[in-house]
Amino acid sequence: MWSKFLSLFCFRYLPLGCADWLINLCRRKKELKARTVWLGCPEKCEEKYPKNAIKNQKYNVFTFIPGVLYEQFKFFLNLYFLVVSCSQFVPALKIGYLYTYWAPLGFVLTVTVVREAVDEFRRYKRDKEMNSQLYSKLTNQRIPSDMVFLRTSEKTGSCFIRTDQLDGETDWKLKVAVSCTQRLPALGDLFSINAYVYAQKPQLDIHSFEGTFTREDSDPAVHESLSIENTLWASTVVASGTVIGVVIYTGKETRSVLNTSNPKNKVGLLDLELNQLTKALFLALVALSVVMVTLQGFVGPWYRNLFRFLLLFSYIIPISLRVNLDMGKAAYGWMIMKDDNIPGTVVRTSTIPEELGRLVYLLTDKTGTLTQNEMIFKRLHLGTVSYGTDTMDEIQSHIINSYSQSSAPKVRKSVSSRIHEAVKAIALCHNVTPVYESRAGVSGETEYAEVDQDFSDENRTYQASSPDEVALVQWTESVGLTLVNRDLTSMQLKTPGGHILTYYILQIFPFTSESKRMGIIVRDESSGEITFYMKGADVAMSTIVQYNDWLEEECGNMAREGLRTLVVAKKSLTEEQYQDFESRYNQAKLSIHDRNLKVAAVVESLEREMELLCLTGVEDQLQADVRPTLEMLRNAGIKIWMLTGDKLETATCIAKSSHLVSRNQDIHIFRPVTTRGEAHLELNAFRRKHDCALVISGDSLEVCLKYYEHEFVELACQCPAVVCCRCSPTQKAHIVKLLQHHTGKRTCAIGDGGNDVSMIQAADCGIGIEGKEGKQASLAADFSITQFKHIGRLLMVHGRNSYKRSAALGQFVMHRGLIISTMQAVFSSVFYFASVPLYQGFLMVGYATIYTMFPVFSLVLDQDVKPEMALLYPELYKDLTKLLMVALTIRTWHWLMVVAEFLSLGCYVASLAFLNEYFDVAFITTVTFLWKVSAITVVSCLPLYILKYLKRKFSPPSYSKLTS
């Protein structure tokens, strides 16, 4: 709207050139650029960069009041009462005292502002707590080019370029900051060198980074390439050693924040529906006022009488509706947090608890949400023989025999030698680092010396970027080949006999989403042999390894068991072959243009006719009770989509093992598409499938949405389950918005990591899990839980109850307004359509607030079925009975409800003493008053009781059989 107004103003009142300039100026965002960052020299930075801090707040000090008032008055209900209240300043339209209208409006706004202030203050405290953890100076003050010095087990606060781990006792190669012929300088000396990092502009892509390091004060000048492997991300744990780095991106320019949308004010569907209903009541109000003026005969200043009738009947639109609903929502949030069956649950947004009761789509992350992100080694397949968890002792005996025999190897490989080669390859081909905790009493402020560390097996843990790599190394340890030490240039393995084998690391080729494999070249210290080991997905490795007739079949068998498979292969290299490769590889890494393509081409020259060693299968442990929880959600009519950044094979395995896709359901794996024609053909192939789960990659999804958005979403929504793999955080949020736009249904997103924040904030209801990836998702969510299984009770019990109670609450308040407006209409009709009030101002205010507040609020205690029944029969979640009259639809009378009724009656009786001029006390104490009130009550309630009985007789609610 602001853009349209600005355009209209500019084109009408300004010259064409000035108009374009002003519009572009207001719309323009800061353009992100590549940067040159000098080590330790912030003064050389020509541009200003954003502050490095997490922020989940919606407002600041200046925008809070305007923002909250805008959010309130954009609703027709509050805007209508603002106009009505302002009209009381006009003498001709004044009815009674000003407080008759301004007191309820002021009370409504006060309650709303206080509630928003409490929510905003809680967000502020959570952000402050996160920004002050460990590195307060780092998160609040660091700017690009600032130096950082991190030690073991310390977490970073943003994104850095790091140096590699150093060993002060031996020669080492340092890729960043100092040349490879010097020893490590002190931290202070780093500020005196003349060096800089050139980095690409901040980008959304979280899987790549390109940059270069240059040192100018050495002869010759040092030029090194930087890649994603040289970066440290937010919440990274330094596994071992020390890291010296320089800040490159901060605040809003870090990739995690670039992939996060701004927090928005979420409005529940019930609030929107009530807003529409309020508009309908306003039309009824106008119609009733016109009828009264028409019957009056349009005598005198009829337009003034029309407006006075609008004011008199204004209680047909209940101003207390939003206050009652907001108080109810606060009560629902309190009940959720006090539920002992879902401990640790936190309600971070108190405005949308009823949204939990009307969800249709649940979009969930995989790693850390459905799974524990903990892998267990399950199977080793060598082609002719397979080993499972019950036969691992055989592998251990083969390894012991291999290292105990000193005889020359046989020409024909035995099973024992093949097992030895496979286990050694698994123990060497990874990026795992063994970590030894310091002994008690050692300060974390000083560098750990070897004497202060315990190098025993019991004190050793493993750190890696991928948990399945840790599982593989832990398995090799269990069978006798243990990784005991690793630095940048070497790693050491301990044999069953206690001997140490040293291997020098010559090159590492990290895993990428494009290559789907990782490799390493090592040199055996004792023999000098150079070996290239590689492991990866079967789709990538099947064309690299030598011909075999078992790989494809066994991969399929393991996948059906829900295991994640990796193919392991090796290739022996001569010294000449390696030297030739190294020169070509280093040259490709220094390229500025198309670096990734050139590096990949050089590496692929090695990946030919590799010897297939084995096939491994690991299982990602599911979270507790994931299977029954997903089954419950499906029975409740909720469709579940799994959005993950993991690879297709892994996502498919977890979808099967978690029973997201049932065993008897077919899975359609959407083939990779890059063009419109390919997407059209694949969509046609998918259209012919029925009751089939869909698995699609993020790249293919982008192509489909670009050309066939409506068709794809229509087909996907018909699937019982959808799995989107290789999704970026922005894609996850985009999918949520697509479902909202095309289906109009309510969506819920659940995740545990920073990459899920965009999805959580975009959904109608966001749920965060406090997991191993930190609290970022939990802090940005509307609801925070500790385990995925808690979502079942959160939705089936609390969501369902909140929705039904809020609906009943809304109906009661509207019913109350209709009663008083009907009485006013009858009164005016009897007295010749006079526009005078039936009741005094205080009685009207009291009727809308204190006289009826306690019974109304007691509706938050009503329940139709017990929580155990709601969990046992999740089908009740999608059922909502239509109510006749709230007073007749109370299912269970809580003792507090009875107390509320008597409190309300007590308030009314007490007011008789203070407001005796408003009441005819003499008449109230007569028998005539008593029988007339009783007769009116019977006449008004008896037909409704009869209708209720007939409805239960011929159309009983779904829960009636459960409660009988």
Side-chain angles (χ1 to χ4, degrees), residues 56 58 116 119-127:
N56 287 307
K58 298 178 183 177
E116 281 292 333
D119 284 349
E120 189 69 3
F121 182 69
R122 286 174 178 170
R123 282 188 285 267
Y124 164 76
K125 286 184 67 178
R126 292 196 299 266
D127 289 345

Side-chain angles (χ1 to χ4, degrees), residues 710-727:
H710 181 76
E711 292 84 352
F712 175 80
V713 176
E714 184 180 3
L715 287 172
C717 289
Q718 296 172 2
C719 296
V722 176
V723 177
C724 297
C725 56
R726 282 295 168 202
C727 273

Side-chain angles (χ1 to χ4, degrees), residues 498-515:
H499 299 293
I500 299 298
L501 306 176
T502 300
Y503 293 87
Y504 296 112
I505 302 173
L506 304 181
Q507 297 291 345
I508 294 182
F509 314 113
F511 176 89
T512 66
S513 56
E514 292 78 22
S515 67

Side-chain angles (χ1 to χ4, degrees), residues 166-168 170-174 176-185 189-190 193 213 215 217-219 222:
L166 309 176
D167 181 356
T170 61
D171 290 336
W172 39 262
K173 180 179 179 182
L174 177 58
V176 184
V178 290
S179 72
C180 60
T181 57
Q182 298 175 302
R183 291 190 175 277
L184 174 65
D189 296 337
L190 282 175
I193 68 173
F213 167 78
R215 181 176 181 184
D217 59 353
S218 61
D219 189 21
V222 176

